[in-house]
Amino acid sequence: MNTVTLTVKKAPELFLECEKVNPDAFVGKTADQIAQLPAFQGKEISTLGDYFTVAGDAGATAAETRIVINGDCTKMKYIGAKMTGGEIIVNSSCDMYTGSWMTGGKLLVKGDVHSFSGLAMKGGEFTVEGNAANYLGAAYRGDWRGMSGGVLRVKGNAGSDAATFMTGGTLIVEGNVDIHLGTHMEGGKIILKGNANRRVGGQLVKGEIYVFGTINVMMPGYKPVGEVDLDVDGTKAKFIDYIGDLGERHPKRKGETVYGHLYMKK
C-alpha cells in the first residue's frame, strides 16, 4: 500500500472543504498532482497544496492508497467523504461531514469529529478516538436515509440525533449520548456502552439498540418482554428485552408483527 502524507502548513481563515482528501481522488497521482487538487474556502477555490505539504505518491487503486494527515484539521470538512476503499489516518480532530457517505475502506480520526460525521454511511470502518458532535451516522437534512452499512465506532461521547433514520450497519458509542438516539430507526444495530439522556428509539420500527448504562427517561412506547443472555461487542451479560416503539406501525412477517428491540443491561 502506497502512503501519501499530508502535513498542515496553514490553517484556513474560515473552514476548508476537503472533499478531495480521500484515496479515490488520489488514485494514480504523484505528490505534485495531489497538491494541485482543489479545496474550497467559501467561494474561494484553492488547492490542497496551499494548505498542506504533500509527500509520497498514491497507489494504482483506492484500495492501495493510505493517507496520513498531520497537523490541526479542526477547521477542515469532508475528510474521507465518499471514500470507497483504502485508508485514512487523521492525527487530529476534524470538522463537519468527516467520513460522510463512505462506502468502504478504513478511516481513523485520533481526535474529535464535528456534526454530521458518518452521515448516510454505507460501508467501511470509521473509528473516532475522541468525541462526536450531533447527527452522527444520521440522514442528511431533509432526507430519510441514514446510515445503512459499515461499522462506526466512537470511543468517547456523542451528541444528539445520532443514527437518525438508520437502516443498517453498526454504530458503537463507548461513552454517553444526548437526546434522540436512533430516532426513526428502520434497521441496523446501535451499541451504547455509556448513558443516554432521553428519547432513545423514538418511532423505531426495526433494528436493535443495546444500552449498557442508563436512560434518563425511557420512551413510553416500549414494553419489557423478558430477559436474555447476550454477547454484545465482546461483553457477555444479561439484558432486559423491550419491544417497540409500540406507537408506530410495524410490518408483519409470516403473520407475526415485527418489532424493534431495545436491550437494557441489568
Side-chain angles (χ1 to χ4, degrees):
M1 181 177 282
N2 289 25
T3 299
V4 178
T5 301
L6 304 182
T7 303
V8 178
K9 65 181 182 181
K10 181 176 69 172
E13 293 182 17
L14 299 175
F15 295 91
L16 191 69
E17 298 183 8
C18 301
E19 295 184 58
K20 296 299 183 181
V21 179
N22 70 67
D24 299 84
F26 284 14
V27 166
K29 293 181 173 60
T30 65
D32 288 341
Q33 291 171 323
I34 292 169
Q36 293 304 310
L37 290 172
F40 300 88
Q41 184 176 197
K43 294 183 179 180
E44 179 182 328
I45 301 176
S46 304
T47 66
L48 293 182
D50 292 331
Y51 293 91
F52 300 92
T53 58
V54 183
D57 301 335
T61 66
E64 298 173 287
T65 303
R66 176 190 294 115
I67 301 172
V68 178
I69 308 176
N70 299 317
D72 184 5
C73 297
T74 53
K75 297 176 73 174
M76 297 183 181
K77 303 178 180 181
Y78 294 101
I79 291 175
K82 299 181 181 179
M83 66 184 287
T84 67
E87 184 177 356
I88 301 178
I89 300 170
V90 185
N91 293 309
S92 166
S93 296
C94 301
D95 199 61
M96 296 166 62
Y97 299 106
T98 302
S100 293
W101 303 286
M102 67 182 289
T103 60
K106 294 182 179 182
L107 172 58
L108 171 62
V109 176
K110 295 186 176 182
D112 302 332
V113 293
H114 214 299
S115 298
F116 299 104
S117 292
L119 197 77
M121 181 178 172
K122 294 182 179 180
E125 300 176 26
F126 181 9
T127 301
V128 179
E129 292 192 345
N131 301 316
N134 303 329
Y135 294 97
L136 174 74
Y140 191 75
R141 285 275 178 86
D143 201 350
W144 61 92
R145 292 161 291 191
M147 182 177 177
S148 61
V151 178
L152 173 48
R153 181 185 294 269
V154 175
K155 295 188 176 181
N157 303 319
S160 67
D161 298 279
T164 298
F165 286 108
M166 184 181 194
T167 62
T170 300
L171 170 63
I172 305 164
V173 179
E174 298 186 8
N176 304 321
V177 297
D178 204 347
I179 61 173
H180 292 298
L181 174 66
T183 301
H184 304 295
M185 190 173 170
E186 295 191 9
K189 180 188 297 184
I190 298 173
I191 300 171
L192 172 63
K193 296 191 175 181
N195 304 318
N197 190 347
R198 58 190 186 278
R199 299 176 189 169
V200 175
Q203 297 183 303
L204 180 146
V205 176
K206 291 187 294 184
E208 302 167 357
I209 302 176
Y210 301 83
V211 179
F212 282 58
T214 61
I215 298 176
N216 189 18
V217 179
M218 176 74 86
M219 291 286 294
Y222 282 86
K223 175 183 176 181
V225 293
E227 298 180 0
V228 289
D229 293 309
L230 299 172
D231 186 342
V232 182
D233 196 38
T235 298
K236 295 181 180 179
K238 187 178 291 293
F239 290 79
I240 302 173
D241 182 7
Y242 295 82
I243 58 171
D245 183 343
L246 299 180
E248 288 298 297
R249 292 182 179 180
H250 291 267
K252 289 189 175 181
R253 183 183 300 124
K254 296 182 179 179
E256 295 186 3
T257 304
V258 177
Y259 293 105
H261 289 262
L262 172 58
Y263 297 97
M264 292 286 298
K265 184 175 177 290
K266 290 196 70 176

